[in-house]
Amino acid sequence: FTKSEKMANIAKVVSRFTGELVSATPLLGRGEVHSMFQLSRSVQPAVASLTLADRITICNDALSYFRDEKEAIARSVTQHVSKPIQQSLNEVDGMIERMEGLIGLAERALSPEVVLCEEGGALFRQKEIRKEPKGVVLCLAPWNYPLLTASNTVFAAFLAGNSVVLKSSPISLPLAFPFQAAFEKAGAPHGAVQALATSHEVIDSVIRNGWMDHVHFTGSNVGGKSVLQSVAASSKWMGIGTELGGNDAAIVLSDVGADCTVASSVVDGGMYNGGQSCCAVERVFVEEAVHDRFVENAAAVVSQYVMGDPLSVSTTMGPLATEKQVNVVQRQVDEAVAMGAKVVVGGKRDGPFFEPTLLTNVTSEMEIMQEETFGPVLAIEKVKGCEQAIRHANDSKFGLTASIWTQDSSLADIIAKQLNVGTVYFNRCDVLDPLLPWSGRGETGVGVGLSKYSFLPLVHFKAINGLFKRE
């Protein structure tokens, strides 16, 4: 529940709910940050020299720290970013479960691949693909899921033999420090994973000076493009991965659209964490035969959300994390209404909160259907059938996820092939699986997280092509 201000090299976070000071984090200057990266550079060979089995053990032990400190870490998440406490607890649990899955993939993903190894007469042929760490990885994590998003890069990078410097968003800066503590307690080499608190200006400078070998950024499109410009201007070539915005669609077909559980699931996909998620459902396309019933069911669910103190277990909707975002959501809703949209539930701010909102009679010309809202708003559009739903779902510069709601598996597969997104859900939404790649298209960014493929951007490939004479 936060707003953040930088005063006298201190990042202060103030509760969005109570107005009280939550944290005051000293920001390091350029010289101090340079020392951190020097340590990261110097320790990286020690990380790489560990066996993969040792790195796996350290990662598993690091997860034990999060289990032991679950309540304290979850409370800090809630205090900093306004997330209801139960959802913060869920984030800790979800991070542990997700990383357990990723750790389980490491051996197969990172072990050398033997392409050819044969003996024939006087010759011995060897062809092999090896994966070697890039070096120092800088992870820039957002505030909305400060544990889940950071863990995707931190654990994968360490498992691959890299050292890691982690910086979180200005309003969630302290939430990077549990990762440093976890890896230190797990026995990682000193400095292998470091938490960094500094300004955007210093981050821009260190990227341009090439103090790392790979940068991964999760956040807004504006922030992602800024990091990309810094990388492009760097004194050295380096890798970059970005996970940016979304404006995700749900397509609800007539065979299931009247089902209350479908409406409940779609609403949860849009409202969880106040809609402050890159993969939140924001646009819903419902076949006209069941449109009215779906809206009725969805409205009943939306009306049940409880706004209040995010530290209370009875709260299901906390304040939006920043004043800026409240204004963005209000502006988009007001513009949509002015253009003919109808407010079924909600529609306005309440101090630091924004009411859970349901809109109908929306059109693709409205900003709320084109830009990321990042708030508790579902915009529902009536469509004549699948073709129109697919066309409108693809009418977006983003391409993260889309969900299809039908029990016709053949039809779902036909629709999925036509959706220009990285993930298609069938009868579910807003959920990630560590076994599946997390990627997007268009303005959603470049790169991949999770699954065995998440390790690939964090390694160099070395081809071994050998021919030996046998004695």
Side-chain angles (χ1 to χ4, degrees), residues 247-250 252 262-272 274-275 279-286 294-295 297-299 301-302 305 329 333 336 341-345 347 354-362 368-369 373 375-381 403 429:
N247 189 14
D248 294 3
V252 182
V262 171
S264 179
S265 296
V266 173
V267 167
D268 181 67
M271 300 293 169
Y272 195 87
C279 59
V281 176
E282 297 193 359
R283 302 174 296 148
V284 187
F285 302 101
V286 185
F294 178 87
V295 171
N297 292 339
V301 177
V302 171
Y305 280 87
V329 177
V333 170
K342 177 185 176 183
V343 177
V344 179
V345 181
F354 197 91
E355 296 175 335
T357 297
L358 207 61
L359 299 178
T360 59
N361 202 36
V362 294
I368 206 163
M369 298 295 281
T373 301
V377 180
L378 273 180
I380 303 175
E381 180 179 348
S403 56
C429 58

Side-chain angles (χ1 to χ4, degrees), residues 20 100 124 196 212 215 258 270 287 294 323 443:
E20 297 175 351
E100 286 175 337
F124 173 77
L196 170 61
M212 70 292 301
V215 180
E287 283 194 302
F294 178 87
E323 181 66 16
E443 293 289 308

Side-chain angles (χ1 to χ4, degrees), residues 236-248:
K236 63 181 283 187
W237 289 96
M238 68 177 72
I240 182 171
T242 57
E243 183 192 332
L244 309 177
N247 189 14
D248 294 3

